[in-house]
Amino acid sequence: MLGRLSWAAIPFDEPLPLISMAVVMLAILGVLTIVTVKGWLPYLWREWITSVDHKRIGVMYMLLGLVMLLRGFSDAIMMRTQQAIAVGGAQGYLPPDHYDQIFSAHGTIMIFFVAMPLVIGLMNFVVPLQLGVRDVAFPVLNSVSFWLTASGALLINASLVIGNFARTGWMGYPPLSELAFSPDVGVDYYLWSLQISGIGTLLSGVNFVTTILKLRAPGMTYFRMPVFCWTALASSLLIVAAFPILTATLMMLLLDRYVGMHFFTNDAGGNQMMYVNLFWAWGHPEVYILILPAFGVFSEVVATFSGKALFSYRSMVLATLGICVLSFTVWLHHFFTMGAGADVNAFFGIMSSIIAVPTGVKVFNWLFTMFRGRIVYRTPMLFAIGFLVTFVIGGMTGVLLAVPPVDFVLHNSAFLVAHFHNVIIGGVVFGAFAGYNYWFPKVFGFTLDERWGKAGFWCWLVGFYLAFMPLYVLGLHGMTRRLQHISDPSWQPWLLVAEAGAIVIMCGIFCQVAQLYVSIRTRELRRDLTGDPWNGRTLEWATTSPPPAYNFAVLPQVETIDAFWEMKRRGLTPTQPIYETLEIPRGSPLGVVTAFFASVTGFALIWHIWWMAILGLLGAAVALLVFGWSDDRERELTAAEVAQLERARRGLRQPA
């Protein structure tokens, strides 16, 4: 009846998972209690859970990413602590089995459920506003995409207390991930959570490619789009091209595990290196799926806080497109030690060096934008400057690893861990935090506290260097990654410094939580009544903060790059605009209903509860059919209603 599920799946003999479960359950119950007592549930259901407004969905993506960041960081600091104390005769506090699950969950969560939701969340909120349009191309599909991502996150967190998670690392390499070596449900949790969330990400990619290519304000040609829209387009194109590779690869591994096929086994014609090739054919474009939107954020932030147009806009666009294409030509540098031969290694080594060139172009563009600019050192700009220094270091170590003989020495070492985090934290995470601080007043109508924001930045910057520079040294000394116990006592001082760095980063997270709390408490003093708190350059600042459901009552007419800056310079804001009747998409429960059935189906497949899996699939199919037959998907706002709403939002009096 319940397949492999039994009471033995709950780790009653392991205190850490039980304590974690208790804390999470208490937090959830506390939130549900507050929501119920305050009577907020109808509002949350109507305005957020079933909303198809791209701005609300973007906020929910960001919230999911930040919550999962806390989970992923808790795994990280547990690993750092274990390595710092489990030296020589000391065994630490994490047994090998639990430690293996933690580093696997940490990597999976940080890539798929922190970095991806943060960058897609920013894209969701900002891109339609910068394009000067009223929504994305497929609003309901946008909701389905988010809730499927949340469903995958739910399954990963369920593995904390029901069963276990994979012990294979976040890449899930066979043969370790095959049934013969991982017979429990850990790898199944990994596979189904990524399959479900991956479908949501692919749908997002399709949505944004369509939106950017087909929906733009009148007069906005491709080379008048803001750079963030270009990087979102490149990232979305990579999603559409690369995520089907991951989906097919994980499905082949599922077929190996569930029906005894031999795609990646050691016998019957299987080839485990085919998995590695396919995984990284997706995996290296994934790096640019994450970093390109961050590049777009930094382009907007640097231009705004330097008071100048971005230096050499066209070269920035061409560099973005160059990275988009070249990202599919470098995947083999992740496994130079496979034995593909000198010619193959040489080709991928050369391409891995060449792809650094367009990134270097971007760095010089940002530097020349700041040159002789009137720089304002607000929190987003600090993250941008910290990124420039940190990312250049990470990029140089990446070019070093692109040299096959060097990679033979440093492959699978702590040096590689330091390089990867150098790029992801210094690039993606700093970019997400820069965007969070930059666009927060546009989202909620009030600015964030600068003192706490700057304190958070300095803790993140200093903490990063303390946490990961020692790993470069340890990698050169021969320390491999994923070690649960350290046999060489001479490595411990470096590991203690890394542990101190993780603690400083934790202080940075506390500062950011305090920043949000203080800002909300003092929001009346921080109101943005202009819609343009930073003297911005692009169209999102042309509407009020927060924007209305329809974004723009009258679509802006674009005549140049930095359209809003030009409108302000020429005084083109209309004093008496002519309003038209608008059609606004209605909220839809399809996203959350589909995600519910996807979660049920995924859980059932993990535990081999076949009747539940069938019911889950049927439920999702029925939900899709019901929505497909519905034609009540939009509501109409008359011109008079739009005019009344605009007067109320902008604080204008009714004309006599």
Side-chain angles (χ1 to χ4, degrees), residues 167-211:
R167 305 174 186 84
T168 57
W170 77 275
M171 296 163 286
Y173 283 166
L176 184 57
S177 56
E178 292 283 359
L179 202 58
F181 299 97
S182 295
D184 52 36
V185 296
V187 174
D188 299 324
Y189 267 115
Y190 166 84
L191 292 170
W192 286 114
S193 63
L194 296 194
Q195 289 290 62
I196 292 170
S197 64
I199 293 171
T201 302
L202 179 59
L203 296 178
S204 283
V206 172
N207 209 345
F208 279 104
V209 169
T210 309
T211 300

Side-chain angles (χ1 to χ4, degrees), residues 10 30 34 36-37 41 62 73-74 84 117 145 189 206 215 261 299 326 328 363 398 417 425 529 557 561 596 623:
I10 300 177
I34 293 172
T36 304
V37 170
L41 190 58
M62 291 291 292
F73 180 77
S74 66
S145 300
Y189 267 115
V206 172
L215 301 180
M261 290 192 177
S299 298
L326 291 172
F328 281 100
V363 170
V417 175
I425 294 178
L529 302 178
Q557 181 71 39
I561 306 168
F596 170 78

Side-chain angles (χ1 to χ4, degrees), residues 113 183 253 409 433 461 502 531:
F113 300 107
L253 184 55
V409 176
F433 288 152
L461 187 69

Side-chain angles (χ1 to χ4, degrees), residues 337-572:
T337 56
M338 175 184 75
D343 292 341
V344 173
N345 283 358
F347 171 81
F348 283 94
I350 292 168
M351 297 308 299
S352 300
S353 299
I354 289 175
I355 200 172
V357 173
T359 305
V361 168
K362 288 175 174 286
V363 170
F364 282 105
N365 284 359
W366 293 316
L367 291 174
F368 283 126
T369 303
M370 289 189 285
F371 181 64
R372 292 185 176 176
R374 304 180 69 176
I375 299 176
V376 180
Y377 292 100
R378 304 298 288 265
T379 303
M381 190 63 178
L382 290 179
F383 273 111
I385 295 170
F387 150 80
L388 277 172
V389 177
T390 307
F391 190 81
V392 166
I393 295 172
M396 289 190 298
T397 59
V399 173
L400 181 65
L401 288 167
V403 180
V406 176
D407 189 79
F408 269 69
V409 176
L410 297 174
H411 182 74
N412 208 38
S413 73
F415 189 98
L416 183 61
V417 175
H419 158 70
F420 184 74
H421 286 81
N422 206 156
V423 173
I424 295 298
I425 294 178
V428 180
V429 176
F430 280 18
F433 288 152
Y436 164 75
N437 283 272
Y438 182 59
W439 282 302
F440 187 94
K442 178 54 61 178
V443 178
F444 294 107
F446 61 93
T447 57
L448 287 167
D449 185 86
E450 278 292 309
R451 292 172 302 170
W452 282 110
K454 290 177 179 177
F457 160 74
W458 285 111
C459 286
W460 267 96
L461 187 69
V462 173
F464 166 78
Y465 281 97
L466 285 175
F468 292 102
M469 292 302 119
L471 297 190
Y472 281 122
V473 178
L474 289 169
L476 292 170
H477 285 177
M479 177 179 162
T480 57
R481 53 181 174 172
R482 308 189 187 102
L483 292 181
Q484 182 264 348
H485 179 264
I486 309 301
S487 58
D488 190 340
S490 68
W491 295 347
Q492 188 170 30
W494 295 105
L495 291 167
L496 290 171
V497 174
E499 167 77 354
I503 293 171
V504 175
I505 291 175
M506 182 171 65
C507 294
I509 293 174
F510 287 151
C511 287
Q512 289 170 313
V513 173
Q515 177 196 32
L516 185 60
Y517 174 77
V518 170
S519 302
I520 293 173
R521 289 291 300 270
T522 59
R523 62 187 178 276
E524 293 303 325
L525 303 176
R526 305 175 178 282
R527 289 290 178 194
D528 169 32
L529 302 178
T530 66
D532 183 22
W534 311 126
N535 195 18
R537 311 185 69 86
T538 45
L539 286 177
E540 73 269 31
W541 307 109
T543 185
T544 54
S545 301
Y550 44 82
N551 290 349
F552 300 93
V554 178
L555 294 182
Q557 181 71 39
V558 176
E559 298 178 3
T560 183
I561 306 168
D562 291 342
F564 183 51
W565 183 269
E566 185 67 14
M567 290 176 187
K568 290 188 291 184
R569 188 182 72 81
R570 296 169 59 184
L572 294 179

Side-chain angles (χ1 to χ4, degrees), residues 98-109:
H98 194 183
Y99 182 83
D100 291 350
Q101 293 182 57
I102 286 175
F103 74 65
S104 302
H106 169 75
T108 306
I109 287 170

